[in-house]
Amino acid sequence: MTIQINDPKEIAQFIDHTALTAEKTEQDIIKLCDEAKAHHFWSVCINPAFIPLAKQHLADSDVKICTVIGFPLGATLAKAKAFEAQEAIKEGAEEVDMVINVGFIKSNKWDAVKDDIKQVFDACQGKTLKVILETCLLSKEEIVKACEICKEVGVAFVKTSTGFNKGGATVEDITLMRKTVGPDMGVKASGGIRDTETAKAMLSAGANRIGASAGISIIAGKPAAGNGY
């Protein structure tokens, strides 16, 4: 699966318009929602506490609400992640991005990795679940194994990064993830995607969702200022 883009505005349909840093205010979230509606982004990706606010401001639109679980470290108890996901969905989240337990992967505790994902998957009750692998911390073999487990559990997407660690999405990792999961499962590229050409490269490599706080710049064909998600 590769997606070819001609007009940068076409990328909007693949973007989770993101605001996850700790200092974001209610006004920031309202602005995010207004931008998502105006530019027809797929979703807003926000921390769980802001779900009710986003639900209010997106009530008259088809923009979805995506939230993050076990974020950004992924090291909370599996049952805590599951409860967090369940409560987020009750509040109005339609998509859930959970952070995998990297420590379990590094400990070679693959059964625990699978159980962690499965508990959240079950809690989502059919809502879209994306599993954040934090690829910058994993070997290629670990990325493949994690993708295989996600596919076995039945999650909707594997996702590269939180954007809160030492690296983000790379074309190489997206290509590997797409090759591993096949054509029918979702692959989300996130972390460091801040201009049109980078977003196009990720879609061409096999991503079918982009997580970015620089969505406005991406669809305008302009590089975003500074660094970040």
Side-chain angles (χ1 to χ4, degrees), residues 5-221:
I5 297 293
N6 296 315
D7 184 345
K9 292 184 177 62
E10 296 174 10
I11 302 174
Q13 64 188 303
F14 302 106
I15 290 178
D16 290 339
H17 194 35
T18 302
L20 293 171
T21 54
E23 80 285 356
K24 296 301 182 189
T25 65
E26 289 193 345
Q27 285 305 311
D28 292 327
I29 301 304
I30 291 169
K31 180 183 178 184
L32 190 83
C33 291
D34 289 343
E35 290 172 345
K37 289 191 291 185
H39 298 286
H40 305 288
F41 291 124
W42 179 264
S43 79
V44 294
C45 186
I46 55 176
N47 284 300
F50 287 121
I51 293 170
L53 179 65
K55 185 177 180 180
Q56 177 185 346
H57 284 272
L58 295 173
D60 59 346
S61 80
D62 58 1
V63 177
K64 299 184 183 300
I65 298 173
C66 173
T67 198
V68 289
I69 299 299
F71 196 86
L73 300 180
T76 50
L77 294 168
K79 61 184 177 182
K81 289 182 186 177
F83 178 78
E84 187 179 15
Q86 184 178 50
E87 292 302 303
I89 289 167
K90 284 181 183 177
E91 292 294 332
E94 297 163 278
E95 300 196 351
V96 168
D97 292 16
M98 70 165 283
V99 186
I100 207 166
N101 192 312
V102 176
F104 284 171
I105 292 175
K106 293 298 182 181
S107 302
N108 206 33
K109 294 181 62 177
W110 291 105
D111 287 344
V113 171
K114 183 177 179 180
D115 178 68
D116 184 58
I117 296 167
K118 183 70 162 55
Q119 287 197 43
V120 178
F121 176 79
D122 290 344
C124 286
Q125 296 185 329
K127 298 293 186 183
T128 296
L129 175 63
K130 311 185 198 91
V131 177
I132 306 171
L133 306 184
E134 205 68 286
T135 49
C136 66
L137 301 179
L138 304 181
S139 68
K140 302 307 179 189
E141 293 76 15
E142 288 167 342
I143 291 170
V144 168
K145 180 69 172 176
C147 285
E148 289 172 344
I149 288 173
C150 289
K151 186 174 182 178
E152 183 180 348
V153 172
V155 306
F157 282 78
V158 284
K159 174 180 171 181
T160 57
S161 317
T162 62
F164 283 68
N165 218 296
K166 63 182 182 179
T170 67
V171 166
E172 182 183 12
D173 287 342
I174 290 296
T175 301
L176 178 63
M177 291 161 71
R178 172 55 67 199
K179 179 181 178 181
T180 304
V181 302
D184 299 325
M185 190 170 163
V187 175
K188 179 174 174 179
S190 60
I193 303 170
R194 301 186 59 76
D195 59 74
T196 307
E197 291 309 310
T198 304
K200 288 170 68 174
M202 297 299 169
L203 293 170
S204 181
N208 59 329
R209 191 75 62 84
I210 300 287
S213 60
I216 300 299
S217 296
I218 290 169
I219 65 171

